[in-house]
Amino acid sequence: MQDKRILICYNEPVNFYTNYIGKDPVNTDDNIDLSESEFTENLDLIKNSLLKSFSNVEYLGINSNIKNAVKSIRDYNPDLIFNFVESIEGDTHYECFITGMYDILGYNYTGNNSLCLGNCLNKIRTKQILWFSDIKTPPFQILKVDEDFGAEDISVKSPLIVKLVTEDASIGISENSVVSDFDSLKKQCDFLFDTYNKDVILEEYIRGRELNVSLLGGQVLPISEINFSKLPVGYPKIVTYEAKWSPGSVYYNTTIPVCPVELEEDIQIKVNEIALSAYKALGCRDYARVDIRLTEHNVPYVIEVNPNPDISPDSGFVRSAHAAGIDYNELLSRLASFGIERE
């Protein structure tokens, strides 16, 4: 056991909907969003696992009172911060600010740094970096929140998938996100503009298999595939917000991850190579997940790069780690070791 002080930092859960529609967040069981609340239920599990390797482990919930957070961190004076902060009171832009705060304070932390987190949060910047690195990603265009547009202004080939430019966890993605005509596109864009007051990205929708490639310290873990075969007819084959965070919903119950997935050797080599290239191009470290779509001709396209992906015990990343023979305790221990070694 190492004589180290570990501080688990996480964002205090709120319902993201209340923030975007201008209401004060209310931390009640009914209002907390599963994407936020699920993690807090696993805090004791994570703490107890880390206590098997380290002598002192505590956790700290971070909200907009940053002065209190700074004081608490300094008072505890950790050897390592186990960073799970993904937003502050529902605002994902602050994710990269928090790691910047750790850097300024001089504390080591797990996972990706501010530059990587900021670049990956912005889908436009992610795509630009991928393109400049000769990594295939679907064609796209941006629509500004205050922009008036017509059918003649759309340059991306239909069908399209409509996403928020700066959100993760599939926020804003639903069964209405894949559109094939201008009226459907306009309706979905107006909904996203009105609900989130953010720019959207129109991306060419790649028909084909969806793969999740998890990387741990640059090691490509066994690939997972989302099986869409159980989706009812008429539902687009995508991973929506409900698929991740709404138990009982159609998407949650019918988008089934399969890991490890069987791929022909040449396809698996191509997928592994493009995932690792994307990981390096975006400056990822410690752990990340690269989401890939295969065309009908098995050409891989990167659709998302996710630094610091969810590592709850039932998450896709942990599933891939298990397939590689890495149990949960070892996974947490490895992530901690990456941060400590940077000392």
Side-chain angles (χ1 to χ4, degrees):
M1 177 177 290
Q2 299 184 52
D3 185 20
K4 300 283 187 182
R5 300 169 65 83
I6 310 297
L7 182 63
I8 304 169
C9 287
Y10 66 99
N11 43 280
E12 290 188 348
V14 297
N15 184 314
F16 75 89
Y17 288 110
T18 58
N19 286 274
Y20 285 119
I21 62 177
K23 297 179 180 178
D24 293 331
V26 181
N27 290 322
T28 68
D29 290 340
D30 291 336
N31 284 319
I32 291 176
D33 196 84
L34 183 57
S35 63
E36 300 246 14
S37 63
E38 187 178 72
F39 173 75
T40 59
E41 297 172 0
N42 295 312
L43 278 174
D44 284 338
L45 175 65
I46 294 170
K47 177 179 178 179
N48 290 333
S49 175
L50 290 172
L51 280 171
K52 296 176 182 179
S53 301
F54 303 99
S55 57
N56 293 283
V57 182
E58 296 295 339
Y59 39 71
L60 173 67
I62 295 181
N63 55 31
S64 60
N65 192 334
I66 298 301
K67 288 183 178 180
N68 277 357
V70 170
K71 183 179 185 304
S72 296
I73 292 171
R74 282 177 165 163
D75 287 347
Y76 187 69
N77 194 29
D79 296 290
L80 177 72
I81 293 173
F82 221 102
N83 181 46
F84 290 117
V85 178
E86 296 183 336
S87 65
I88 296 296
E89 295 180 358
D91 192 332
T92 54
H93 287 91
Y94 292 118
E95 178 184 29
C96 63
F97 294 1
I98 295 300
T99 50
M101 178 184 73
Y102 302 152
D103 285 327
I104 291 171
L105 294 175
Y107 291 103
N108 289 333
Y109 56 93
T110 61
N112 294 274
N113 64 19
S114 297
L115 183 61
C116 174
L117 294 172
N119 284 338
C120 290
L121 176 64
N122 187 311
K123 293 179 176 61
I124 304 301
R125 197 172 302 143
T126 298
K127 282 179 163 290
Q128 290 170 337
I129 293 171
L130 292 173
W131 275 17
F132 293 149
S133 304
D134 293 323
I135 297 169
K136 290 184 182 297
T137 186
F140 69 97
Q141 76 177 94
I142 311 164
L143 292 178
K144 299 291 186 180
V145 66
D146 56 354
E147 182 177 357
D148 186 21
F149 64 93
E152 68 280 1
D153 300 310
I154 306 305
S155 60
V156 185
K157 184 173 69 176
S158 181
L160 307 172
I161 182 167
V162 185
K163 306 176 183 178
L164 295 167
V165 170
T166 56
E167 280 297 351
D168 58 7
S170 294
I171 291 172
I173 298 180
S174 71
E175 67 273 17
N176 300 314
S177 295
V178 177
V179 298
S180 299
D181 59 80
F182 180 74
D183 289 342
S184 299
L185 169 62
K186 187 70 164 63
K187 182 178 179 181
Q188 182 64 8
C189 287
D190 287 344
F191 167 76
L192 294 176
F193 290 153
D194 293 342
T195 305
Y196 301 98
N197 193 34
K198 290 190 173 187
D199 298 342
V200 302
I201 176 173
L202 311 183
E203 182 180 84
E204 183 179 323
Y205 174 64
I206 304 295
R207 292 186 177 93
R209 303 168 72 177
E210 180 156 333
L211 307 175
N212 303 142
V213 187
S214 298
L215 297 103
L216 178 63
Q219 173 191 355
V220 181
L221 302 178
I223 300 169
S224 179
E225 178 178 9
I226 305 299
N227 185 340
F228 296 112
S229 64
K230 301 297 184 181
L231 266 175
V233 175
Y235 281 73
K237 295 179 179 180
I238 58 175
V239 179
T240 64
Y241 182 86
E242 286 186 342
K244 294 180 178 179
W245 311 114
S246 298
S249 68
V250 171
Y251 269 102
Y252 191 94
N253 292 325
T254 58
T255 51
I256 312 300
V258 178
C259 182
V261 65
E262 293 185 7
L263 293 172
E264 295 179 12
E265 184 178 358
D266 61 329
I267 298 172
Q268 180 164 330
I269 290 172
K270 286 193 294 186
V271 168
N272 286 354
E273 287 178 347
I274 195 173
L276 187 56
S277 295
Y279 178 94
K280 292 178 178 178
L282 271 299
C284 298
R285 69 182 193 189
D286 292 6
Y287 67 123
R289 192 189 72 244
V290 179
D291 297 337
I292 290 173
R293 279 268 180 169
L294 290 179
T295 68
E296 295 172 349
H297 301 292
N298 292 318
V299 177
Y301 279 75
V302 175
I303 57 172
E304 299 279 352
V305 178
N306 301 278
N308 295 8
D310 178 24
I311 55 169
S312 299
D314 60 350
S315 66
F317 191 98
V318 171
R319 188 179 302 111
S320 291
H322 282 168
I326 303 169
D327 67 20
Y328 199 58
N329 292 333
E330 183 181 352
L331 173 61
L332 295 178
S333 180
R334 283 201 196 184
L335 292 176
S337 296
F338 294 152
I340 290 171
E341 287 168 5
R342 277 193 287 274
E343 187 174 22

